[in-house]
Amino acid sequence: VQLQASGGGLAQAGGSLRLSCAASGRTFNNYARGWFRQAPGKEREFVAATSWSGGTTTYADSVKGRFTISRDNAKNTVYLQMNSLKPEDTAVYTCAAPKSALPVGPNPEGYVYWGQETLVTVSS
């Protein structure tokens, strides 16, 4: 049972990155999926979430209109397309899954499975 986040790196302000969250060990296609991030010295914060079908998505206000969450259940993978990046988006990002087909909201306590992190650094 493993979630693996990847795709982080260095980007300039205004640039784009796409993160991937691949699942292995069991199928997560029936579960919602979420992305969280944690900047240095700050608490973990919710970024975005999608239902199992991808038909329902939610976003933090800070990323709404810039980030897009999507999923490809054939590949058991969820993506986070990040556009118009800002220096304040710099953080370690991780994906997570609740035991629910629908998004469970922004509280990390609602998520049962957590993936490895990937670092996103946005330079000004």
Side-chain angles (χ1 to χ4, degrees), residues 67-106:
F67 291 10
T68 303
I69 188 170
S70 62
R71 67 189 301 159
D72 183 343
N73 285 342
K75 297 181 178 179
N76 220 353
T77 300
V78 171
Y79 304 98
L80 184 68
Q81 179 66 43
M82 306 186 296
N83 298 330
S84 302
L85 284 164
K86 303 176 180 180
E88 50 263 44
D89 294 319
T90 295
V92 289
Y93 286 70
T94 188
C95 57
K99 284 189 176 179
S100 169
L102 296 176
V104 297

Side-chain angles (χ1 to χ4, degrees), residues 11-14 39 66 84-91 120-124:
Q12 291 186 333
R66 301 188 297 121
S84 302
L85 284 164
K86 303 176 180 180
E88 50 263 44
D89 294 319
T90 295
V120 171
T121 303
V122 183
S123 62
S124 58

Side-chain angles (χ1 to χ4, degrees), residues 5-74:
S6 62
L10 176 64
Q12 291 186 333
S16 299
L17 285 173
R18 189 177 80 157
L19 305 184
S20 299
C21 175
S24 62
R26 65 175 293 167
T27 179
F28 282 84
N29 288 347
N30 292 333
Y31 292 159
R33 203 82 64 86
W35 284 97
F36 289 81
R37 68 186 182 185
Q38 187 167 18
K42 295 187 177 181
E43 294 186 352
R44 177 181 287 171
E45 67 170 344
F46 170 78
V47 176
T50 177
S51 62
W52 71 271
S53 68
T56 300
T57 57
T58 58
Y59 296 92
D61 288 342
S62 59
V63 306
K64 202 171 293 183
R66 301 188 297 121
F67 291 10
T68 303
I69 188 170
S70 62
R71 67 189 301 159
D72 183 343
N73 285 342

